[in-house]
Amino acid sequence: MLQSELTIETPAPGITQFDGLSRIARQLAAGFNLDNTLKSIFVEAMAFSRADGGNISLYSESKDNFVPNHSVGGIPPETIIAPIIREAIDNQAPVIHKRLDLGRQLGSILVTPIINDGFVSGLITLYSRKPYQFGEPGTNYVAALADLASAAIVNAQLYRDTLQRERFYASLGRVTLAINATVNLPTLLTLVCKESLELFDVDGAFIWQKEDDKLIGIAAEGHARDDFIGTRVRCSDDKNLAATAANKGYGVYSNNIEQDQRFIRHFPWQARVKASLAIPLGKDEELLGVLQLVDTSRNGRFGFSDVEQATYFGAQVAIAIQNAQLLTDMSELNEQLDLRVAERTHALGEERDRVQYLLRVTSELAASLDQDRVLVRALELVNEIVNATHGSILLVDTMTGELIYPAAFETHKLPPLPRVDLGIKPEEGLAGWIIKYRSAIIIDDTSNDDRWIAQPENSELKSVMAVPLIANDEVIGVLTLFHRESHAFTQEQLELVEAAASQVANAISNSHLYILIRDQAERLGNMLREEHLEAAKNQAILESIADGVLVTDATGTVILANLSAGQILEIPHDQLNGKPVNELLGLYAATGENWIHTVEEWAHSTRREGQPQFLAERLTMEDKFVSVRLSPVFASGQFIGTVSIFRDVTQAVEVDRMKSEFVSTVSHELRTPMTSIKGYAELMIMGAAGEMSDAQKQYLDVIVGNADRMSELINDLLDISRIESGKTTLELQPVNLSQIVAQVVGEHLQGLISHEDKPIQVSTEISPTLPMVNADPDRVTQILTNLLDNAFQYTPTNGKISVTTRANGSFVTISVSDTGVGISQENQAKVFDRFFRVENSEIQQVPGTGLGLAIVRSLVEMHGGTIDVESTLGQGSTFTFTLPCVSEN
Amino acid sequence: MERILIAEDEPDIRELIRLALQFNGFEVISASDGAEAVELASNNSFDLIMLDVRMPRLTGYEACRQLREMEATKEIPIIFLSAKGQEAEVDEGLEAGADRYILKPFAPFELANEIKQILAERGT
């Protein structure tokens, strides 16, 4: 409308033109008859331009061409006007040719496009046989008329669409209600098809159902409906319209399906179909099928709005189908559930009976350990299920391997037959078969089963049920039930008997075990009594001794401790038992570590007899000292534990300590008077109190010499008391022995020789490859000095002293030999004791304290070495001691 | 003439040392305990001081420490002369600042030689 108003204003038209336009505009407003309006426009255009012929044509989508709506007179042939029309369409503007060459004459032509939304939807073609016919006013007027035609086309289209939509949605609402009310799926599908015919004004409606990767025709109405049912096509077939729609997930149509190259896959029922539209029902995974509409009368039947409406409808249909399916599934499920509940209830009832029965078998059989009673009761219980006429239990004799017949019954003849030994071999007959194959069987008729050995006394038995008795995976017997009639037993009974049989087997096995344990217990009881007596005796001895005895097993756990051990260690002795020995560590602080570690080390290493046999240690507790001697215990060469003997040595240690203290104090107190005696004597010798006579000097020398001897004695006493009280510590370092030997021999010994004027032949023999020793050099000097002092004193003039050293494994051996008086065998053991001096008239004059060798031995042992003496009276002595080499790491 | 201070509680031994040193040409001043020795040393000048360890009022160790702290006496050579000869005792004396630790009983002429040697070392 707006377009036409503008056009009317622009050319400033004359009265005639204005009348024409307003008339047509009124007609346009009054109604929607497109044909009439177009006709009026064309007539007005012809009249105004005084054309001789022409037409008004509209674009037909189906023909893809302009089709005349009204024509008057003739127009030049197609060949001449086609380019002109093309030009008008392409430019979307009127084209005028005032000198149109028509061969023998000239004419005029005006082609005016009717434009809708940028597309040429129609043409007004005017022709005159005279040239220069259409002037500018005419052209403009026709253009205005073309605008009116455009408006009329839009209106008509709008009107038609609105009307159609209104009709469609009214119908759709009704149809949707109807299909949603339908819960039966086949009825629903038929209804959908039926309603589709009317709704979309088509000849045929089909529904494909998706099944796996196929579409299957299941409902149809209208055209070829019976042929359609059962048609199949693959979903992936892109040459089929319905499959394509299913595959793409949106509506697809073809308006000329017979010639459409996209969809060449046809079915017989598709003959005569001109246009077809397919809409998927549901989407993607939930695709239910396809709704296909066909029209057999018109090509170009379907357009975009059809797809839109069908899609909408399809969605409703899909929901309705889903609902119907859901309902169907639900009711099926309900029925199934009811059925299963009923079945389960029944099964549970049976199971309960079974379980109750088996529980009774178990509890009744478990109550008795007496085998005969177990067997009889087992048969009675089992027969409650099967109602056999005869029954028996055969057991495998564990000693002979043969079968014995300990229990049987015959109906109404209980109590059972006595236990008899049948001498049946386990591989024979039915019982043999059962034992071999370990499985239960039913023989419905004994007369035709090879496993059954017929005998006079069992000829009346027709049905047999036999079940193995298995306990701990071993067949211990066979339970057999018989009936006089054939086919007397059922498979269900067999299953229950099998279950009961496993309980019976367990009960039999338990009663076997019971007998075994009872006998064992009796035997052990006797043994225990005897051992108890023996142990009581040993215990009495152990408890009565004053030394603590503590025994560990091979893992270092205390297994025995006597009363004294508890008292000495100050732990209640019953609490010691079972304790790992390392838990006692805290009691003795560092002093106990060696003991405990040795116990543990022995426990953790594989020990053999012949390795170091014991460890002697002293433990220090808060207020007492305990000596412990630890020995390994072996049984047939195997380390089985340790024995520790404890002795409380507190008193001895205390006495020792007091003695050391006493010696220390006395020695010190002795030094003060000694200082005066020696000092004043020397002062007088020096002449500080005036000139001395030779005799006076000689007497004073004796005083000084004895004062020196006394000082030496005091020093030795202090030394030994310090060593014995543990106050002396070694400053260990790598020591070159040859140096020390050279120094002591060269300075000290030679000094003595020259000082005393007593010639003695001295030789030293030192291995050139002597390793360094780990020692305190001052103490080594002291040891050597002492030994050489002794050698010097006891060796007569012109005697020999030799010192030899040599490596000996991880030790160095040092020997000091002399050609002195020697020591008797008897005295050799005592020379290292304190204050021991050999009683010998020949050596009365030898001064000494009697402490030298005791100190030497203590110092050597502190280094971890040993000292020995070898001697022959009158020939000389050799003192040999060892010192450890510096270890390589 | 070098002046030597000796501190010794035992009169016999004090006299012995005095005699021996005088005989060897030293001037000797005596104190009978550590406290007296410290007092004498702080008021007089000495070339060498000799201390017993175990003395009443003030032990030799303590006297030695005090002497080493005083400006006037900190450079004077000090000798301990003691019957206490254990390692720990000798060490304590040397740590207190003494130059020598001589054990009783001693030979008087050796003692005199020792003193001469120390003074000679100081003199150079």
Side-chain angles (χ1 to χ4, degrees), chain A residues 668-669 671 675 680 682 711 722, chain B residues 12 16 83 86 104-105 107-108:
Chain A
H668 180 255
E669 289 304 324
R671 271 189 179 147
T675 305
Y680 281 98
E682 282 191 341
S711 292
R722 279 215 300 273
Chain B
D12 287 349
L16 171 67
Q86 298 188 13
K104 292 172 185 174

Side-chain angles (χ1 to χ4, degrees), chain A residues 771 773 806-813 863-866 882-885:
Chain A
V773 293
R806 54 172 195 283
N808 183 9
S810 55
F811 286 85
V812 168
T813 306
H863 279 88
T866 56
T882 63
L883 290 173
C885 297

